Amino acid sequence: MNLTDFIRRHIPLTPDMLEDLLRVITREETPAHQVLVSPGQYCRKLFFIEEGLIREYYFSMSGKETTYRFNTEGAFVTVADSFLDNQPSRYSLETLEDSVLYSVTLADFEALLRKYPLFEKLQSLIQHQLLLEMKDRITALQFQTAKERYESLLEDQPSIFQRVSLGHIASYLGISQETLSRIRSKK
Amino acid sequence: MNLTDFIRRHIPLTPDMLEDLLRVITREETPAHQVLVSPGQYCRKLFFIEEGLIREYYFSMSGKETTYRFNTEGAFVTVADSFLDNQPSRYSLETLEDSVLYSVTLADFEALLRKYPLFEKLQSLIQHQLLLEMKDRITALQFQTAKERYESLLEDQPSIFQRVSLGHIASYLGISQETLSRIRSKK
DNA sequence: TTCGCTTTTTGACCTTTATCAAATAGGTTG
DNA sequence: CAACCTATTTGATAAAGGTCAAAAAGCGAA
């Protein structure tokens, strides 16, 4: 999924807009298992995934690692709290596959928004999707069983199971790897 | 906490802005245990709580009720997915105490944003706080124990325990009321 | 103060999930 | 193919939390 195609799905891109957009975005090819952001660092970029997979994760006080979210082709990714508020990140980002990414800095993105208010439509679209997804996630973690959450993920992002190791998926679901393995074998 | 005072904390309010603001907001005094939004309804208002407490909750397929969030004085409240995307709400809102609320419709709020771009600062402030809070909540539900989540709530919103019944708090924490009661007694 | 209602606590038991350890399966490289 | 490394599964046991039922505590109204 190409970034400009993606944008065109939601807003019409004039030649001027496209030119200014291309001026501020950077294309980068990143190998698998590359850490893009570590705890304490500033996440200064908003990424768009043209190809590949990025995992956002978190270290608990005990050093245990938990997957916060998987992002695949067509997704915008950043460590929101760090990027938006210019704070050191508590989360990490890493590629789990060879990836093709586009990135833009906050300043450039905001300049784009000011020059072409139409981009705000795109921004609010992304924000609203994110918000809805987070709400669903919270209610799921609150009252669904591990098996139900597993089945939801299987339905929503089936490809994840081919692309990501069980341990990462288990921590995303909030359960241990062994429990996930047992849920799977009973099907 | 007064709405205009709240706003003044973050952005300077000119007399013009204030006048236009007052023109679009409605003050309402709502008794306790009043349902403001039910599933299937459209949530057309953004509320500001001057006084009182609003609970946002959710019915699972089995009819079980889960508290999604508590909101108190100084908070902006709405059913985000319904308000922003003009969809029927899957969540409910109810007052748990006699409350003094201010409300504004989406159209009026957007008109205000267009006329005074400074209000965007307020908007993004609210959105960012919400986002951060939701992220924390997700990671907490993912890998913290019930006791740890209880302790976090006790630290972040101690007054909730004086104001809300245990059942509501338990579902907010993702545990049964009995478990919460046992956690409390062991302290 | 007592009755009735609601909320919270307690007890017994059961289910789910975590943890630790070991076995197995899969893949990669020499 | 063999050796090695990593990921996944399996088994045994323990801990956490759920469920159901009943008791106790709070609280308002008569």
Side-chain angles (χ1 to χ4, degrees), chain A:
Chain A
M1 168 78 65
N2 182 281
L3 174 56
T4 54
D5 288 348
F6 181 89
I7 293 175
R8 262 191 258 268
R9 280 193 183 186
H10 302 290
I11 57 173
L13 267 185
T14 65
D16 274 5
M17 283 168 86
L18 182 61
E19 192 183 326
D20 280 332
L21 178 68
L22 293 177
R23 210 191 308 274
V24 296
I25 62 179
T26 309
R27 186 179 194 274
E28 33 192 305
E29 302 193 3
T30 308
H33 307 292
Q34 187 101 353
V35 175
L36 303 173
V37 179
S38 304
Q41 285 186 341
Y42 290 79
C43 178
R44 303 212 185 271
K45 295 175 184 170
L46 173 66
F47 297 94
F48 175 83
I49 308 180
E50 179 172 304
E51 226 182 288
L53 199 158
I54 293 179
R55 180 172 83 103
E56 182 172 357
Y57 58 105
Y58 180 94
F59 292 97
S60 72
M61 284 143 299
S62 57
K64 219 175 100 185
E65 188 187 273
T66 306
T67 297
Y68 171 70
R69 189 163 191 251
F70 298 112
N71 301 278
T72 53
E73 303 79 21
F76 287 93
V77 187
T78 189
V79 182
D81 33 310
S82 178
F83 180 72
L84 294 171
D85 294 337
N86 201 38
Q87 291 174 353
S89 177
R90 293 172 301 150
Y91 296 81
S92 300
L93 290 181
E94 69 168 353
T95 55
L96 291 184
E97 299 175 354
D98 296 346
S99 301
V100 178
L101 309 175
Y102 290 91
S103 66
V104 62
T105 64
L106 182 60
D108 283 340
F109 184 61
E110 284 179 338
L112 217 54
L113 279 176
R114 271 192 300 276
K115 189 161 178 188
Y116 304 105
L118 202 55
F119 272 115
E120 279 171 16
K121 227 184 128 182
L122 194 70
Q123 187 192 28
S124 70
L125 191 94
I126 299 169
Q127 282 179 350
H128 294 180
Q129 277 179 356
L130 196 66
L131 193 89
L132 259 185
E133 189 193 299
M134 288 171 94
K135 258 188 111 155
D136 282 344
R137 192 101 187 275
I138 289 170
T139 47
L141 287 165
Q142 266 178 302
F143 70 78
Q144 287 188 340
T145 63
K147 203 168 79 194
E148 289 170 327
R149 294 200 297 274
Y150 166 77
E151 279 157 6
S152 299
L153 183 62
L154 202 56
E155 190 161 322
D156 297 345
Q157 300 189 263
S159 73
I160 288 292
F161 290 89
Q162 270 78 59
R163 299 169 72 175
V164 173
S165 74
L166 271 202
H168 290 336
I169 294 174
S171 75
Y172 174 82
L173 294 172
I175 57 180
S176 72
Q177 175 170 326
E178 294 90 333
T179 298
L180 178 53
S181 175
R182 288 186 180 103
I183 288 172
R184 289 214 303 179
S185 68
K186 273 176 208 146
K187 284 268 155 177

